């Protein structure tokens, strides 16, 4: 039986696409669905291209109401892992607790972030690091808790900033590293 994974994403979806592409070659892992809170998100089109089911569960006045709908989908599809890929909502402790009960494991939600956490959490991390003229930044793969990019680190890799490197060039290299680290991790689930 394949391990069933859900990807949560709010935007463009390049990480989600890299994961879906890798999953095609994996025999013991499958992307069961992509969930977005944004009806127009680019990730939805990317998922359709791979024939992956999509769901949109928008933000509601009451966070718990939105999370209840998401939990119902996770239960219905017997999801074992959640991969966040540019999902712009924090998951509540209650949500994470309920998902941990469902899977019997409290370390089944992961995220990829384009900085050397704890430096530059939140949005626009690459631009902020670039504007600070840091000598290096990188990518962090981590477990998810209820904080903003605060969960336990799984793996971190560095990317130096070239003296004459432009922001777009640096962004391309950091995103490529994200895709590599996230798909490596997905592949590693084959053996778990
Ligand atoms: C990525 O940089 C990811 O690390 C961050 O949000 C961005 C999403 O990009 N959490 P994409 O939608 O995967 O292209």
């Amino acid at each position: 039986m394949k391990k069933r994974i859900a990807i949560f994403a709010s935007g463009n979806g390049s990480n989600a696409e890299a994961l879906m592409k890798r999953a095609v070659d994996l025999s013991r892992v499958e992307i069961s669905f992509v969930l977005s809170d944004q009806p127009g998100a680019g990730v939805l089109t990317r998922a359709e291209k791979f024939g992956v089911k999509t769901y949109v569960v928008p933000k509601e006045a009451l966070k718990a109401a939105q999370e209840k709908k998401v939990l119902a989908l996770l239960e219905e599809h017997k999801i074992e892992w959640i991969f966040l890929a540019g999902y712009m909502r924090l998951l509540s402790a209650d949500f994470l607790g309920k998902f941990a009960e469902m899977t019997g494991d409290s370390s089944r939600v992961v995220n990829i972030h384009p900085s050397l956490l704890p430096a530059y959490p939140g949005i626009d991390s690459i631009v902020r690091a670039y504007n600070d003229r840091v000598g290096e930044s990188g990518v962090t793969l981590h477990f998810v808790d209820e904080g903003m990019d605060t969960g336990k680190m799984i793996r971190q890799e560095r990317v130096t900033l070239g003296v004459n490197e432009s922001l777009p060039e640096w962004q391309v290299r950091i995103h490529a590293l994200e895709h590599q680290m996230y798909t490596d991790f997905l592949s590693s689930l084959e053996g778990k």
Side-chain angles (χ1 to χ4, degrees), residues 5-151:
I5 290 158
I7 299 174
F8 291 8
S10 300
N12 173 35
S14 71
N15 278 282
E17 172 150 0
L19 292 168
M20 290 186 283
K21 198 167 168 198
R22 173 64 61 89
V24 170
D25 298 324
L26 299 177
S27 53
R28 297 183 55 209
V29 163
E30 75 169 36
I31 309 298
S32 303
F33 65 81
V34 167
L35 173 112
S36 185
D37 57 327
Q38 299 293 332
V43 70
L44 299 170
T45 320
R46 295 190 195 245
E48 281 155 21
K49 203 172 78 185
F50 283 85
V52 170
K53 204 184 283 284
T54 59
Y55 292 101
V56 176
V57 182
K59 180 180 173 180
E60 295 192 28
L62 222 54
K63 190 182 181 86
Q66 193 253 5
E67 288 191 335
K68 197 173 168 189
K69 290 178 185 163
V70 176
L71 282 164
L73 288 171
L74 296 171
E75 191 140 37
E76 180 191 332
H77 290 273
K78 300 188 171 31
I79 298 299
E80 293 162 87
W81 285 85
I82 299 172
F83 279 51
L84 304 185
Y87 187 60
M88 302 306 278
R89 317 213 61 75
L90 288 180
L91 302 174
S92 71
D94 182 64
F95 175 95
L96 292 167
K98 287 188 169 131
F99 185 62
E101 268 172 37
M102 232 181 253
T103 60
D105 187 339
S106 59
S107 301
R108 290 291 184 90
V109 187
V110 290
N111 184 42
I112 194 88
H113 185 80
S115 77
L116 297 173
L117 290 172
Y120 301 104
I123 61 165
D124 297 332
S125 309
I126 305 177
V127 176
R128 286 185 288 130
Y130 186 86
N131 289 341
D132 286 347
R133 293 290 179 266
V134 292
E136 63 176 13
S137 186
V139 175
T140 306
L141 172 66
H142 64 96
F143 290 112
V144 170
D145 62 16
E146 65 274 24
M148 170 89 80
D149 304 318
T150 49

